């Protein structure tokens, strides 16, 4: 199916790979991306901070972009262990994740902090990929939409000019459990309606909403066929270049 929204595929490497492994991955990706239909898909890798500069260098001859996994809202200062927008830009990044559920769980990130990060990212020249999603307990107690609405409202409260969204149900991340295409579509359609209410229908129509949570080559076809699923944020399957290339191919057929 054709869409006004170009598919976007993000590879979130989380805390995996050292430099030699990253280099090997980038070579395989650069070699295979054209024949996988990469021209029809926007591709972004999100490696850990120490790998960012090397990955950006390795991929500079390609259209693949690079992003941080997190960013601090302050321009600089005494924030041990954190990374600023300017440092990400300097390392060759054009994107950053904001509000990944692992940051929210491991580091207690609040909805408001996610909004502040997204705002700082845009002001410094990065595109934030804002991650939201309900936990298993929230879904089972019928609060999915309420949680998504709260997370989205807070993340967009500072009105970042540019952004993409990733709907990542926490119960599907790294578990092998995937939302069915119908479940994912229902959440994506709900998010697009919220975007229309907040920012107007023209903006909502062009914003990309990615699905994340055990996405893999075997399920991208059925998920991509849904009208409001505009790509994927991939964890485990993004570590293997062959699988990641197969997912680029799966997304390119939607373009
Ligand atoms: P998995 O694809 O490993 O489930 O991880 C999803 C994710 O958290 C991407 O940000």
């Amino acid at each position: 199916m054709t869409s006004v929204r170009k598919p976007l595929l993000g590879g979130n490497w989380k805390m995996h790979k050292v430099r030699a492994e990253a280099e090997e991955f980038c070579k395989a990706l650069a070699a295979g991306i054209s024949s996988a239909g990469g021209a029809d898909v926007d591709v972004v890798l999100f490696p850990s901070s120490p790998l960012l500069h090397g990955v950006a260098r390795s991929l500079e001859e390609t259209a693949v972009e690079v992003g941080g996994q997190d960013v601090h809202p302050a321009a600089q200062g005494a924030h041990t262990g954190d990374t600023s927008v300017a440092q990400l830009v300097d390392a060759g990044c054009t994107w950053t994740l904001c509000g990944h559920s692992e940051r929210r769980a491991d580091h207690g990130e609040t909805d408001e902090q996610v909004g502040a990060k997204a705002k700082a990212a845009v002001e410094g020249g990065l595109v934030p990929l804002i991650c939201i999603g309900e936990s298993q307990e929230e879904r089972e107690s019928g609060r999915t939409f309420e949680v998504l609405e709260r997370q989205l409202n807070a993340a967009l409260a500072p009105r970042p000019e540019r952004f993409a969204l990733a709907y990542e149900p926490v119960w599907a991340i790294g578990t092998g459990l995937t939302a069915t295409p119908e479940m994912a579509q229902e959440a994506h359609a709900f998010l697009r309606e919220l975007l229309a209410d907040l920012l107007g229908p023209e903006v909502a129509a062009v914003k990309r909403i990615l699905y994340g949570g055990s996405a893999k080559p075997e399920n991208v076809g059925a998920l991509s066929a849904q009208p409001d699923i505009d790509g994927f944020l991939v964890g485990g399957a993004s570590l293997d270049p062959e699988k990641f290339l197969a997912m680029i191919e799966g997304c390119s057929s939607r373009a």
Side-chain angles (χ1 to χ4, degrees):
M1 95 168 323
T2 52
S3 168
V4 289
R5 301 179 295 273
K6 187 175 180 183
L8 172 62
L9 184 69
N12 176 7
W13 285 357
K14 307 190 178 182
M15 201 170 70
H16 293 286
K17 295 196 190 292
V18 293
R19 285 185 303 161
E21 293 165 329
E23 182 66 34
E24 205 179 312
F25 180 101
C26 292
K27 279 199 185 122
L29 180 61
I33 193 162
S34 297
S35 47
D40 295 325
V41 183
D42 287 337
V43 179
V44 194
L45 287 180
F46 296 94
S48 311
S49 293
L51 303 176
L52 287 170
H53 184 240
V55 168
R57 291 278 300 257
S58 300
L59 294 170
E60 65 193 357
E61 302 296 323
T62 74
V64 177
E65 295 179 82
V66 177
Q69 294 179 2
D70 179 47
V71 74
H72 196 281
Q76 60 189 346
H79 302 290
T80 302
D82 280 309
T83 308
S84 72
V85 174
Q87 288 170 329
L88 291 182
V89 170
D90 187 52
C93 293
T94 46
W95 288 79
T96 184
L97 299 182
C98 289
H100 191 280
S101 63
E102 288 151 16
R103 300 284 322 164
R104 295 177 191 253
D106 294 354
H107 300 274
E109 265 182 33
T110 65
D111 293 332
E112 288 65 32
Q113 283 169 333
V114 175
K117 287 174 183 216
K119 179 171 187 274
V122 172
E123 285 173 355
L126 296 174
V127 185
L129 177 48
I130 298 169
C131 305
I132 58 179
E134 81 286 1
S135 67
Q136 180 151 21
E137 190 267 320
E138 288 162 342
R139 177 162 281 267
E140 283 169 359
S141 59
R143 287 186 293 133
T144 297
F145 287 176
E146 172 195 323
V147 169
L148 294 181
E149 186 164 2
R150 188 200 72 222
Q151 292 179 336
L152 189 73
N153 280 338
L156 298 184
R159 291 288 181 270
E161 221 177 277
R162 279 167 296 138
F163 66 89
L165 279 186
Y167 167 60
E168 300 206 295
V170 178
W171 50 269
I173 294 179
T175 57
L177 296 172
T178 319
T180 63
E182 295 72 27
M183 277 160 87
Q185 168 58 26
E186 184 188 33
H188 283 229
F190 174 71
L191 291 170
R192 204 174 301 285
E193 271 173 37
L194 289 179
L195 288 178
D197 289 346
L198 283 172
L199 307 171
E202 294 80 11
V203 175
V206 297
K207 286 294 176 203
R208 291 180 290 191
I209 308 178
L210 312 189
Y211 169 78
S214 300
K216 50 183 184 277
E218 296 76 17
N219 57 28
V220 285
L223 286 159
S224 289
Q226 299 298 319
D228 288 294
I229 298 182
D230 307 315
F232 300 89
L233 182 57
V234 190
S238 76
L239 298 173
D240 174 345
E242 295 312 316
K243 288 188 185 162
F244 197 59
L245 283 164
M247 295 185 81
I248 294 174
E249 199 162 349
C251 289
S252 71
S253 57
R254 188 206 195 229

